[in-house]
Amino acid sequence: VTARLRSLGEDRWIARLARRLGTSAPPPPDGIGDDAARLRPRAGRDLAWTTDVLVEDVHFRRRWAPPRLLGRKGLAVNLSDLAAVGAVPRAFLLTLAAPPETPVAWLDELAAGLAEAARRAGVACAGGDTTASPGPIQIGIAAAGDLPRGRMLTRRGCRPGDGLWLSGPLGGAAAGLRLLEAGRPGRSGAAAAAVRALLDPRPPLALGPWLARRRLARAAIDLSDGLATDLARLCAASGVGAVLEAQAIPVHAAVRRLAPALGVEPRELALAGGEDYELLFAVPPRREAELRYLPRRLHIRPVRIGEVTTEGLRVRDEDGRERPLRPRGFRHFGERW
Amino acid sequence: VTARLRSLGEDRWIARLARRLGTSAPPPPDGIGDDAARLRPRAGRDLAWTTDVLVEDVHFRRRWAPPRLLGRKGLAVNLSDLAAVGAVPRAFLLTLAAPPETPVAWLDELAAGLAEAARRAGVACAGGDTTASPGPIQIGIAAAGDLPRGRMLTRRGCRPGDGLWLSGPLGGAAAGLRLLEAGRPGRSGAAAAAVRALLDPRPPLALGPWLARRRLARAAIDLSDGLATDLARLCAASGVGAVLEAQAIPVHAAVRRLAPALGVEPRELALAGGEDYELLFAVPPRREAELRYLPRRLHIRPVRIGEVTTEGLRVRDEDGRERPLRPRGFRHFGERW
């Protein structure tokens, strides 16, 4: 007999969650177990906070998303937002809504995944809210982090002439989604890598704080809805334009191999595909050389993909021809603001 | 033709929300419009944060909950949690999930209600996450406030001998829910008052911060799941017991008038009914007299309803007989932790 949330009851659900999430968490007032949790930044530091939700059948399907990976991803996408403003993640609140017939084992795996991602990032669960729901499973996270006072990165600082840099390759998650939605993920290494990019993203969390600490980036955004869409947001917030060098945009290795079977153009998927959670940031030209001081142990190799201009969004091809970059992206997903 | 969320699209939905919520909000980095928002407490103050979600057909039904009141309530229940730990609310993040066929007018009213409650409490929307959902509407809030450093109230400080105080009358919301669920709210003043208690709660937000500032309460909890259930939580967290004076428990005036028609015992509804969002707190005996200094302009008159003991949960009747207080409450609702 499969144990269901209905038979567990909410008090035992909370206790179960707290046991799985709370092993490394501080006791109240900072941790789980009160009406609200304390959030005390160290002296001289600002706090940053954000929220992001994963909804079943919008952001994931239970038939292809293992709950442990969902737990990791639910936290990862929030920590990515914190990193994008330069903050080091510290704590999170969890809002979990699930139908009464949800298997307890599924929820346990979800909690295990959250706990794994929390341990890896050094963040603690500070509380949350659980509720039965007649609808899809929803995994909501609010996360907070801190950074040196006054150093928060926003989307608004780009200036014409700044170099546009990207933390890693794009299109992998979009390729993985196409494979899973088509019901034929296959067993090739490329397919597995693409599916992993979608289900188990590892945002470059150390990069944003490093850039903020050195005041090296003028603005940044994490790529959740695709390069074209998120670049347009960055430029709109800054009141500028941009030109991308098509051949400089790094395409996920799996995408190149899967493209023929998927019937897509690799670079198009890299421009339009969402959920890569790489960091896009602008660096003043006279400081771009400093990016080489990024510690090797972080395993992040940003590449220059274009330049901030006064207006318009364009892509320059190998042969020097420019064409307009139209916003496109994965609109089946929700959006952050 | 009714405009639907589907035809609005998410970018315009966000812009619409931001316009309605952002009128009094600060620009980024503190307000709407970036990956994460800044949260900077004033010097010498701690921050508190909490999260709470309203789910359609669990916490409300669209057929009886006007969206404007839902917006107010969604924020109010979170601010109540902040007040329960002594924090003055400052800002919130909104997570909104709604089916594509949701009428835009309904969402506009929801935003208007959120904005009203935000203005009244002096809090700003700092951002959020919107998503289409195949399931019920979900209104998720994460809220943050601040308070003097080291003064946070928890559930864990009760000591035997402390007086147990309550900020206001109970049972109104539970009576309102019974009326609405039975489909016969009626038009009497009592019925309207009970329904208002459920749909438009006004937690005593000034009380917790006042108690924390003076270090007058040893512990506190806001009553979301009913006095019996939440008292049990307060006592469990403190490792103590309690005895309530049955005749001292204030019952909402509407409950007394509606009880015969509802077929309930008024005091039973006051003990078991949830969602009153009154504050229950423990005060050391030698300091109870100081409660008279609570400013009259706050319109809060706490009453003493019992006492902390070493163990067990009991109710003392008018004739002095004690009976065990069994946890009971409104378990169709979710729970916070």
Side-chain angles (χ1 to χ4, degrees):
Chain A
V1 184
T2 307
R4 308 279 174 181
L5 180 56
R6 189 194 308 279
S7 62
L8 190 65
E10 289 186 299
D11 274 337
R12 281 191 291 160
W13 185 20
I14 293 171
R16 217 173 163 97
L17 262 174
R19 207 158 52 235
R20 278 164 177 75
L21 291 173
T23 47
S24 62
D30 300 294
I32 293 172
D34 233 296
D35 286 316
R38 188 171 61 181
L39 194 58
R40 177 186 281 180
R42 282 184 286 151
R45 290 178 79 86
D46 279 336
L47 282 162
W49 64 330
T50 187
T51 188
D52 216 1
V53 65
L54 298 184
V55 180
E56 182 184 358
D57 290 336
V58 178
H59 303 89
F60 67 91
R61 296 192 197 280
R62 259 194 271 181
R63 73 166 186 271
W64 51 247
R68 183 175 290 247
L69 299 189
L70 268 181
R72 290 191 204 164
K73 181 167 178 172
L75 195 55
V77 301
N78 278 278
L79 302 189
S80 177
D81 280 329
L82 290 179
V85 302
V88 178
R90 299 296 180 193
F92 70 96
L93 303 171
L94 171 66
T95 302
L96 210 44
E101 62 271 22
T102 310
V104 171
W106 194 97
L107 295 165
D108 282 350
E109 279 291 292
L110 181 77
L114 281 162
E116 273 175 16
R119 261 195 308 275
R120 195 190 307 134
V123 303
C125 181
D129 185 21
T130 55
T131 177
S133 166
I137 290 176
Q138 290 210 17
I139 305 154
I141 303 265
D146 65 357
L147 74 170
R149 184 166 268 244
R151 300 285 176 88
M152 186 175 282
L153 290 168
T154 70
R155 299 176 180 177
R156 301 183 308 159
C158 296
R159 294 192 208 162
D162 287 353
L164 283 170
W165 291 75
L166 182 66
S167 62
L170 303 179
L177 180 64
R178 287 180 181 220
L179 291 172
L180 290 172
E181 285 288 276
R184 47 178 178 89
R187 301 184 166 203
S188 72
V195 167
R196 198 163 53 239
L198 177 73
L199 297 180
D200 197 14
R202 305 284 177 100
L205 299 180
L207 179 57
W210 186 83
L211 294 168
R213 220 160 41 231
R214 300 175 73 101
R215 298 184 194 267
L216 195 46
R218 278 216 245 257
I221 188 170
D222 76 325
L223 299 188
S224 51
D225 296 320
L227 175 58
T229 299
D230 288 325
L231 173 65
R233 290 192 180 125
L234 182 72
C235 288
S238 293
V240 298
V243 58
L244 297 180
E245 303 291 339
Q247 83 285 5
I249 298 168
V251 179
H252 195 289
V255 172
R256 296 201 188 279
R257 269 171 286 162
L258 296 166
L262 287 172
V264 294
E265 209 276 300
R267 192 158 291 146
E268 190 54 32
L269 210 59
L271 274 170
E275 299 215 275
D276 287 310
Y277 300 104
E278 296 293 345
L279 192 70
L280 175 68
F281 57 101
V283 179
R286 60 179 178 79
R287 299 198 59 195
E288 289 177 289
E290 292 178 46
L291 283 169
R292 86 175 94 100
Y293 299 123
L294 186 66
R296 277 171 178 276
R297 63 178 160 74
L298 300 182
H299 302 292
I300 306 167
R301 298 284 160 79
V303 293
R304 193 181 199 275
I305 61 165
E307 198 172 302
V308 178
T309 61
T310 53
E311 60 179 352
L313 296 173
R314 301 191 308 283
V315 182
R316 192 182 291 135
D317 287 334
E318 283 85 341
D319 57 9
R321 272 187 309 208
E322 291 186 359
R323 57 187 169 90
L325 175 69
R326 282 177 309 279
R328 70 269 255 187
F330 265 50
R331 288 315 176 80
H332 64 289
F333 293 125
E335 306 197 23
R336 252 102 24 95
W337 38 283
Chain B
V1 183
T2 307
R4 309 278 172 180
L5 180 53
R6 189 192 308 279
S7 61
L8 191 62
E10 289 185 298
D11 274 338
R12 279 192 292 162
W13 185 17
I14 293 170
R16 219 174 162 98
L17 263 173
R19 207 158 55 233
R20 280 166 175 76
L21 291 173
T23 46
S24 61
D30 301 293
I32 294 172
D34 234 296
D35 286 315
R38 188 171 61 183
L39 194 57
R40 178 185 280 178
R42 283 184 286 150
R45 291 178 79 87
D46 279 336
L47 282 162
W49 64 330
T50 187
T51 187
D52 215 0
V53 64
L54 298 183
V55 180
E56 183 182 358
D57 291 335
V58 177
H59 303 89
F60 67 90
R61 295 192 197 281
R62 258 194 272 182
R63 71 164 188 273
W64 51 245
R68 183 175 290 249
L69 299 189
L70 268 181
R72 290 191 203 163
K73 181 168 177 171
L75 195 55
V77 301
N78 278 278
L79 302 188
S80 177
D81 280 329
L82 290 178
V85 302
V88 178
R90 300 295 180 193
F92 70 97
L93 303 172
L94 171 66
T95 302
L96 209 46
E101 62 271 22
T102 309
V104 171
W106 194 96
L107 294 165
D108 282 350
E109 279 291 291
L110 180 77
L114 280 162
E116 273 175 17
R119 261 194 307 274
R120 195 191 307 134
V123 302
C125 181
D129 185 21
T130 55
T131 177
S133 166
I137 290 176
Q138 290 210 16
I139 306 153
I141 304 265
D146 65 357
L147 75 168
R149 183 166 269 245
R151 300 287 176 85
M152 188 176 282
L153 290 168
T154 71
R155 298 176 180 177
R156 301 184 306 159
C158 297
R159 293 191 209 163
D162 287 353
L164 283 170
W165 291 75
L166 183 67
S167 63
L170 303 179
L177 180 64
R178 290 183 178 219
L179 291 172
L180 290 172
E181 285 289 276
R184 47 179 177 86
R187 300 185 168 201
S188 72
V195 167
R196 198 163 53 238
L198 176 73
L199 297 181
D200 197 14
R202 304 286 176 102
L205 299 180
L207 180 57
W210 187 83
L211 293 168
R213 220 161 39 233
R214 301 175 73 102
R215 297 184 196 265
L216 195 46
R218 277 216 245 255
I221 189 170
D222 76 323
L223 299 187
S224 51
D225 296 320
L227 176 58
T229 298
D230 288 326
L231 174 65
R233 289 191 180 125
L234 182 71
C235 288
S238 293
V240 298
V243 57
L244 297 180
E245 303 291 339
Q247 83 285 3
I249 298 166
V251 179
H252 195 290
V255 172
R256 297 202 187 280
R257 268 172 288 162
L258 297 166
L262 289 172
V264 294
E265 209 276 299
R267 195 159 291 148
E268 191 53 33
L269 210 59
L271 274 170
E275 297 215 278
D276 287 312
Y277 299 102
E278 295 293 347
L279 191 71
L280 174 68
F281 56 101
V283 179
R286 60 180 179 78
R287 300 198 59 193
E288 290 177 291
E290 292 177 48
L291 281 169
R292 87 176 93 99
Y293 299 124
L294 186 67
R296 278 173 177 276
R297 63 179 161 73
L298 300 182
H299 303 291
I300 306 167
R301 296 284 158 78
V303 293
R304 194 183 200 276
I305 61 166
E307 201 171 301
V308 177
T309 62
T310 53
E311 59 177 353
L313 295 174
R314 301 190 308 283
V315 181
R316 192 182 293 136
D317 287 336
E318 284 84 342
D319 56 12
R321 273 188 305 211
E322 291 188 359
R323 58 188 169 90
L325 176 67
R326 281 178 308 281
R328 69 269 254 186
F330 266 49
R331 287 316 174 82
H332 64 287
F333 292 125
E335 305 195 24
R336 252 106 18 101
W337 40 283

